[in-house]
Amino acid sequence: MSEAVPVDPLPLTGERTVPGIPEENYWFRRHEIAYARLLDRCAGRVVLEAGSGEGYGANMIAEVAARVIGLDYDASAVDHVRAAYPRVEMIQGNLAELPFEDASVDVVVNFQVIEHLWDQAQFLRECLRVLRPGGALLISTPNRITFSPGRDTPLNPFHTRELDAAELSELLEQAGFRVELMSGVHHGPELIALDAKWGGSIIDAQIERALAGEPWPAELAADVAAVRTDDFVLRTDDIDASLDLVAVAVKSEDR
């Protein structure tokens, strides 16, 4: 990935993932798959990434987009993106009140963010407002059914409300969008093999070691560090069994 400047990494907080940390690589690649698979929808467009976090995704988008604007509430993240990814126009602001004119962008990207927001419906209405007619919202979020199974409240303390596919579709449609694609992230063959190797779940193996506060076994660390973006697959079938939801929602041409 070009046009990135070496700077100190953002600290891991549990609220965002960052590149370049071997023990974090599984989660980083799992998030990166949404950018990789939907990148063509940003080609030649004016793109707003609402909740851009560390900025690696906005920098990926900058490879193909006409213009990329990043927006984040966290001042340290804003400073980091400005220093590390100079192609990204970075703004500090609130996602509940997007600081942009009506119909001013072609694409809004919101990956692994909506589950952190208190007023998800308000945010989606704001996305619709700033999109031009025919514009698209690209959105991903953990699948509640598999991420926090059997729970009314999220396992992750940074999440306010997690969604399943039906709930995400309903929110998008109520905001005025048409859902063009609803898909899910699944493990591909290599990760399925790692699941079997690590007692049924490579995810649980990582969580167990993290909670124990002990050094990882060398073999587990090597397996996690070797995970690639292409080890994940995006599918429209068996969506309730997916790890994360990835959707494309479109604003009507006549709005």
Side-chain angles (χ1 to χ4, degrees):
M1 191 182 299
S2 61
E3 297 297 333
V5 178
V7 298
D8 291 337
L10 282 175
L12 283 177
T13 63
E15 192 170 8
R16 61 178 169 239
T17 188
V18 302
I21 299 176
E23 294 85 357
E24 182 74 5
N25 185 56
Y26 169 89
W27 299 101
F28 172 68
R29 300 301 177 187
R30 180 166 148 181
H31 290 184
E32 191 178 42
I33 188 66
Y35 292 99
R37 294 295 176 264
L38 298 184
L39 202 59
D40 61 336
R41 293 180 178 265
C42 299
R45 308 294 177 84
V46 175
V47 180
L48 164 65
E49 182 166 21
S52 49
E54 194 274 344
Y56 68 87
N59 193 51
M60 287 179 67
I61 295 167
E63 294 281 351
V64 301
R67 179 186 177 198
V68 180
I69 307 159
L71 177 72
D72 206 277
Y73 189 73
D74 182 12
S76 64
V78 171
D79 291 342
H80 175 83
V81 174
R82 287 173 176 164
Y85 306 114
R87 295 184 299 185
V88 179
E89 301 174 36
M90 197 63 202
I91 297 173
Q92 184 177 9
N94 191 337
L95 270 64
E97 296 181 5
L98 298 178
F100 303 98
E101 298 292 330
D102 296 357
S104 57
V105 301
D106 301 308
V107 179
V108 175
V109 173
N110 184 249
F111 289 157
Q112 302 294 321
V113 172
I114 194 170
E115 65 275 7
H116 296 271
L117 304 181
W118 288 105
D119 195 338
Q120 296 172 342
Q122 166 65 13
F123 167 67
L124 293 177
R125 289 192 294 269
E126 279 290 278
C127 291
L128 189 79
R129 179 184 65 79
V130 303
L131 279 168
R132 293 175 179 140
L137 168 63
L138 315 181
I139 188 166
S140 76
T141 190
N143 178 13
R144 176 179 58 78
I145 296 173
T146 58
F147 203 82
S148 297
R151 291 176 58 95
D152 294 327
T153 57
L155 281 170
N156 188 316
F158 295 104
H159 293 180
T160 60
R161 181 194 176 195
E162 293 169 358
L163 305 162
D164 63 25
E167 291 163 341
L168 178 58
S169 292
E170 181 180 28
L171 269 178
L172 290 166
E173 290 165 357
Q174 288 176 345
F177 286 99
R178 174 178 59 84
V179 179
E180 181 179 292
L181 172 72
M182 181 64 68
S183 61
V185 175
H186 296 259
H187 283 177
E190 295 293 331
L191 283 168
I192 291 172
L194 285 181
D195 282 332
K197 175 180 177 180
W198 290 100
S201 173
I202 185 69
I203 299 171
D204 289 347
Q206 295 175 78
I207 292 172
E208 179 182 338
R209 293 298 173 176
L211 292 177
E214 299 173 355
W216 288 23
E219 192 172 5
L220 176 61
D223 284 345
V224 169
V227 172
R228 304 167 302 150
T229 307
D230 287 342
D231 291 332
F232 296 92
V233 294
L234 218 57
R235 304 193 336 236
T236 55
D237 65 304
D238 203 15
I239 196 161
D240 283 346
S242 67
L243 302 166
D244 300 307
L245 306 171
V246 180
V248 177
V250 178
K251 179 176 179 177
S252 171
E253 290 280 0
D254 57 10
R255 294 194 67 151

